[in-house]
């Protein structure tokens, strides 16, 4: 539809908005923000994640599943009926949208773990869900789990994000945290399952850049039972986060030191000695978790988001605050589109996180 | 002439600017600019463009004359491969300001991001000049081949004036910093030199229009320690592949 010479600009856009008081924001706002950076994508991928969109079902896992064709659905549903106690199953509403071509079929399932399911000793509900997600992605033809957290969901596909947002009728959802992505695929295929965000359980990631460490990162997470099946490097970020934050219970403060650690020469200069020892230990233990290559990412989780760039700042990220709102985006203009006069707007330092959270007293 | 650009695509804005330029108009004002890219690209005559809003990426890329004044901030790539003319930003700018710039002048009132002046070069009688009123981050003047970079740090004396890897791979041009720099902050291809009387005269003469534009007091700006970084060699990597070439030849 669009001539090839229009595919020649810079790559990928990210945007995130958070109401730190937990107030719900309509999906229109995030579409407006990401749409401002239309030039950064090329219509071959757009997507959104919203946290807080299913308040009436917040105690149940919400599985968003994409089927290449309708006839791939039944085998998965037969498996899900055994693996989960399903409360609700429904087709995710979409509308025909100019700019969005032939689309897969999207369904969502709300459910919980069956109480009498025989499970390995000590396995948590989340561990069980990870097994379910990995099994569907690996063993069922034409079926891909797009998201699997509670009270959140991912909506993504091939198209400009503005069009994908209309396709999924995002104006009918409200969330306290929205994160969006416009894709410019570089070295992996443009397909519906390869659009961002990538998500597992409560974690989601959008990414501008590429992971030259993908092979090392992938082999590392595979040792812990994760399987990379979605043909795009960004997927591995999500499994690293699930491993570090949920299974190993590492504090958030450690995450930037693993993904984007300072260079050794900077570590040698670091004071005080305790901090130097910590950075040294993290690099020694978690070297295989280092995300090498140019990147800026936004990590979403139920309590907020974290923005992070690679340690030499090879991809852009701008942060802003206004009242109870926090913003992140690849370009300043995207933030100003929905917040014309922010209290603060700044360019975060390379490898230093922008960690914005719901206020502690906010109960979800 | 005025244009309200809020609802326009950057291509429409730039088409309008080119038409104004062809029609011999000397002065235009753009309102509602919000991330529009490539404004003033290849501008080739005396057109003066005032911008209200946030100028998008690659402002004044390949600019070859005229003037752009931004009342607001600029995003990445201000003056990318600029050749002549002047860009003035009454605000801050993000990364890669003056990337591969070969002539003309850029004034940024506030801070700039990473890689300002990367691979700046100079040719002929119009060497490039970049003056930054605030601070600059890592890789300032990386692979710099010519021209002048000046970083003043006028706003927040507690903020680091520059980051690390300043002048890494530098092989031409000069960087003046209003303050000091620790040895670990600059590349091994660059070295510090004491300022001479000629340098002070050059700074006085060069900073006067900058201070006038933004309302800084020139005497106060100059009444401070400055340091000067220059390349140690014109060809820092000249010997890098000598061994490899020798090995190939010996097998030849």
């Amino acid at each position: 539809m669009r001539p090839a010479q229009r595919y020649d600009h810079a790559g990928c856009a990210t945007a995130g908005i958070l109401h730190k008081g937990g107030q719900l924001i309509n999906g229109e706002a995030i579409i407006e923000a990401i749409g401002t950076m239309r030039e950064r994508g090329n219509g071959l991928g757009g997507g959104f994640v919203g946290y807080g969109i299913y308040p009436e079902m917040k105690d149940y896992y919400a599985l968003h599943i994409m089927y290449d064709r309708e006839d791939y659905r039944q085998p998965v549903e037969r498996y899900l009926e055994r693996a989960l106690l399903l409360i609700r199953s429904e087709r995710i509403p979409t509308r025909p949208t100019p700019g969005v071509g032939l689309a897969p079929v999207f369904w969502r399932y709300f459910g919980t773990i069956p109480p009498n399911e025989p499970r390995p000793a000590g396995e948590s509900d989340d561990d069980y869900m990870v097994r379910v997600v990995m099994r569907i992605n690996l063993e069922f033809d034409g079926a891909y789990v797009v998201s699997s957290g509670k009270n959140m969901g991912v909506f993504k596909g091939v198209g400009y994000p503005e069009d994908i947002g209309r396709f999924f009728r995002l104006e009918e959802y409200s969330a306290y945290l929205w994160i969006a992505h416009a894709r410019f695929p570089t070295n992996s295929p443009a397909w519906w399952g390869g659009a961002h965000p990538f998500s597992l359980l409560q974690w989601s990631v959008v990414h501008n850049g590429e992971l030259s460490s993908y092979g090392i990162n992938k082999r590392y997470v595979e040792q812990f039972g994760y399987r990379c099946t979605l043909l795009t490097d960004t997927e591995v970020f999500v499994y690293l986060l699930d491993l570090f934050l949920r299974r190993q219970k590492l504090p958030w403060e450690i995450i930037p030191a693993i993904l984007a650690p300072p260079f050794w020469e900077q570590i040698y200069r670091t004071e005080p000695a305790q901090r130097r020892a910590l950075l040294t230990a993290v690099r020694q233990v978690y070297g295989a978790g280092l995300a090498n290559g140019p990147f800026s990412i936004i990590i979403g989780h139920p309590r907020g988001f974290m923005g992070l760039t690679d340690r030499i700042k090879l991809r852009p990220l701008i942060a802003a605050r206004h009242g109870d709102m926090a913003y992140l985006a690849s370009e300043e203009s995207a933030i100003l589109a929905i917040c014309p006069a922010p209290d603060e707007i700044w360019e975060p330092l390379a490898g230093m996180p922008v960690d914005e959270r719901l206020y502690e007293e906010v109960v979800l | 002439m005025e244009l309200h650009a809020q609802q326009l695509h950057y291509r429409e804005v730039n088409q309008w600017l080119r038409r104004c330029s062809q029609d011999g108009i000397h002065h235009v004002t753009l309102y509602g600019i919000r991330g529009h890219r490539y404004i003033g690209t290849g501008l080739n005559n005396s057109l003066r463009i005032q911008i209200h809003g946030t100028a998008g990426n690659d402002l004044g890329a390949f600019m070859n004359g005229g003037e752009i004044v931004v009342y607001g901030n600029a995003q990445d790539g201000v003056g990318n491969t600029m050749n002549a003319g002047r860009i003035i930003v009454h605000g801050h700018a993000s990364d890669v300001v003056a990337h591969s710039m070969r002539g003309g002048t850029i004034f940024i009132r506030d801070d700039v991001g990473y890689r300002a002046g990367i691979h700046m070069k100079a040719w002929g009688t119009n060497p490039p000049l970049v003056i930054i009123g605030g601070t600059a981050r890592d890789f300032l003047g990386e692979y710099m081949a010519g021209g002048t970079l000046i970083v003043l740090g006028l706003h927040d004396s507690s903020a680091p004036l520059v980051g690390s890897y300043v002048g890494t791979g530098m092989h031409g041009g000069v960087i003046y910093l209003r303050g000091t720099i620790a040895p670990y902050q600059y590349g091994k291809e660059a070295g510090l030199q004491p300022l001479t009387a000629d340098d002070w005269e050059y700074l006085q003469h060069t900073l006067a229009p900058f201070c006038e534009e933004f309302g800084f007091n020139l005497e106060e700006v100059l009444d401070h320690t400055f340091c000067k970084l220059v390349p140690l060699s014109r060809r820092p990597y000249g010997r890098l592949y000598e061994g490899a070439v020798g090995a190939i030849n010996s097998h030849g």
Side-chain angles (χ1 to χ4, degrees):
Chain A
M1 184 182 142
R2 285 170 187 283
Q5 68 266 23
R6 298 206 59 174
Y7 291 166
D8 62 4
H9 300 292
C12 290
T14 64
I17 54 178
L18 168 70
H19 191 288
K20 291 191 272 187
Q23 276 181 32
L24 300 180
I25 309 154
N26 188 272
E28 289 287 347
I30 190 71
I31 294 178
E32 171 78 14
I34 196 77
T36 306
M37 300 181 288
R38 187 176 174 89
E39 256 54 66
R40 299 187 71 87
N42 65 355
L44 294 178
F48 301 83
V49 60
Y51 288 80
I53 57 173
Y54 299 133
E56 76 286 7
M57 302 296 258
K58 67 186 167 76
D59 297 326
Y60 301 100
Y61 289 100
L63 262 80
H64 283 199
I65 301 187
M66 172 182 121
Y67 299 107
D68 281 343
R69 286 200 316 264
E70 182 59 32
D71 53 331
Y72 289 128
R73 182 161 64 89
Q74 208 190 17
V76 174
E77 291 189 346
R78 253 185 309 198
Y79 165 67
L80 280 179
E81 276 158 19
R82 276 186 287 118
L84 298 177
L85 200 63
L86 291 181
I87 305 298
R88 204 163 99 191
S89 309
E90 63 198 10
R91 197 170 171 149
I92 296 179
T94 56
R95 67 161 68 91
T97 306
V100 178
L102 194 63
V105 188
F106 286 89
W107 279 69
R108 64 185 159 211
Y109 307 90
F110 296 92
T112 182
I113 318 295
N116 300 322
E117 183 71 20
R119 288 155 66 179
E123 189 189 65
S124 70
D125 285 2
D126 282 347
D127 290 334
Y128 182 90
M129 275 306 294
V130 171
R131 276 204 291 129
V132 170
V133 170
M134 293 296 145
R135 179 146 179 210
I136 295 171
N137 285 348
L138 264 181
E139 296 180 13
F140 289 86
D141 282 341
Y144 313 91
V145 180
V146 170
S147 60
S148 50
K150 292 176 181 173
N151 199 12
M152 57 88 75
V154 166
F155 306 88
K156 65 181 187 179
V158 174
Y160 281 96
E162 310 90 283
D163 300 332
I164 293 294
R166 309 259 171 258
F167 175 78
F168 282 110
R169 303 158 69 143
L170 285 196
E171 75 280 2
E172 295 172 8
Y173 299 83
S174 292
Y176 58 86
L177 166 61
W178 285 107
I179 297 171
H181 185 262
R183 192 167 182 221
F184 187 115
T186 42
N187 47 22
S188 63
W191 68 297
W192 282 69
H196 304 212
F198 287 88
S199 183
L200 176 71
L201 298 174
Q202 67 266 47
W203 319 113
S204 62
V205 174
V206 294
H207 173 206
N208 171 198
E210 58 188 59
L211 281 176
S212 40
S213 57
Y214 175 67
I216 292 165
N217 302 145
K218 174 174 177 282
R219 282 194 293 279
Y220 181 63
V221 297
E222 279 172 354
Q223 294 172 29
F224 298 92
Y226 301 97
R227 292 292 174 267
C228 295
T229 53
L230 300 173
L231 312 176
T232 300
D233 52 5
T234 308
E235 179 187 14
V236 80
F237 269 121
V238 179
Y239 306 149
L240 288 169
L241 292 169
D242 188 57
L243 175 65
F244 297 147
L245 289 165
R246 186 180 64 82
R247 286 171 61 179
Q248 301 188 343
K249 297 187 171 55
L250 295 181
W252 272 99
E253 294 71 32
I254 300 288
I255 297 302
I258 298 175
L259 298 178
F263 291 107
W264 284 112
E265 63 189 53
Q266 293 166 321
I267 292 177
Y268 299 147
R269 282 198 308 272
T270 299
E271 297 289 348
Q274 208 183 352
R275 173 83 186 155
R276 185 163 65 241
L278 174 72
L279 290 172
T280 304
V282 166
R283 280 207 71 169
Q284 285 167 339
V285 174
Y286 290 110
L290 188 154
N292 215 346
F295 71 81
S296 65
I297 56 173
I298 304 176
I299 301 166
H301 59 94
R303 298 300 299 182
F305 59 40
M306 180 183 274
L308 184 69
T309 65
D310 64 82
R311 54 213 178 138
I312 55 171
K313 184 68 198 307
L314 285 163
R315 290 294 180 273
L317 188 69
I318 306 289
R321 285 198 189 118
H322 189 67
D324 291 326
M325 298 293 300
Y327 302 89
L328 285 171
S330 301
E331 295 184 15
E332 188 170 317
S333 58
I335 295 173
L336 298 181
I338 51 173
C339 178
D343 296 337
E344 291 176 80
I345 188 158
W346 74 98
E347 190 178 329
L349 285 168
M352 301 298 283
V354 179
D355 190 3
E356 296 281 10
R357 303 290 180 98
L358 293 172
Y359 300 125
E360 268 176 37
E361 66 270 19
V362 176
V363 180
L364 297 173
Chain B
M1 294 281 281
E2 290 181 1
L3 183 70
H4 292 260
Q6 190 98 35
Q7 303 302 326
L8 299 178
H9 191 262
Y10 76 80
R11 284 202 172 93
E12 297 168 292
V13 174
N14 284 318
Q15 277 161 9
W16 183 81
L17 285 172
R18 278 195 292 275
R19 216 160 41 236
C20 288
S21 179
Q22 282 160 11
D23 293 348
I25 289 162
H26 293 295
H27 186 189
V28 298
T29 306
L30 302 175
Y31 293 98
I33 292 295
R34 202 175 65 198
H36 293 75
R37 293 185 169 205
Y38 314 117
I39 296 174
T41 296
L43 190 64
N44 212 7
N45 57 19
S46 61
L47 185 64
R48 186 161 189 269
I49 303 171
Q50 285 194 350
I51 295 173
H52 294 266
T54 296
N57 292 10
D58 293 306
L59 173 74
F62 304 103
M63 189 168 151
N64 200 29
E67 182 178 81
I68 297 175
V69 184
V70 182
Y71 295 96
N73 299 323
Q75 296 187 164
D76 293 337
V78 173
N80 182 354
T81 325
M82 178 177 176
N83 202 39
R86 198 156 85 132
I87 300 177
I88 296 167
V89 178
H90 287 249
H92 64 237
S94 295
D95 296 338
V96 283
V97 171
H99 173 229
S100 300
M101 181 183 179
R102 16 183 274 168
T105 303
I106 296 177
F107 292 170
I108 310 283
R109 189 190 66 194
D110 301 336
D111 299 343
V112 300
Y114 287 74
R115 298 182 176 78
I118 184 171
H119 212 269
M120 264 171 76
K121 54 201 90 177
W123 183 78
T125 54
N126 180 28
L129 167 68
V130 177
I131 307 180
I132 295 153
T135 61
R137 300 260 169 93
D138 296 1
F139 306 104
L140 174 77
E142 193 183 29
Y143 305 119
M144 189 169 171
T148 306
L149 271 169
I150 306 176
V151 184
L152 298 172
L154 297 173
H155 304 294
D156 179 2
S157 54
S158 67
L161 181 63
V162 293
S164 292
Y165 309 104
V166 174
T168 302
M170 186 177 184
H171 52 288
V174 55
I175 302 174
Y176 294 100
L177 303 176
R178 185 172 171 274
T180 53
I181 184 168
Y184 75 83
Q185 286 180 282
Y186 57 90
K188 61 182 185 298
E189 298 79 16
L192 280 176
Q193 257 186 12
L195 270 72
T196 64
D198 284 351
D199 288 320
W200 285 107
E201 198 183 322
Y202 171 79
L203 283 175
Q204 178 147 23
H205 157 81
T206 308
L207 292 175
F210 179 88
C211 291
E212 193 178 329
E213 179 70 34
F214 297 122
F216 296 121
N217 182 317
L218 179 62
E219 279 163 37
E220 285 173 19
V221 170
L222 285 169
D223 184 19
H224 200 277
T225 314
F226 275 76
C227 67
K228 178 185 174 188
L229 272 175
V230 295
L232 297 178
S233 153
R234 302 289 302 174
R235 258 192 110 215
Y237 302 121
R239 302 173 71 91
L240 191 60
Y241 300 107
E242 245 173 26
V245 171
I248 291 165
N249 286 344
S250 69
H251 282 90

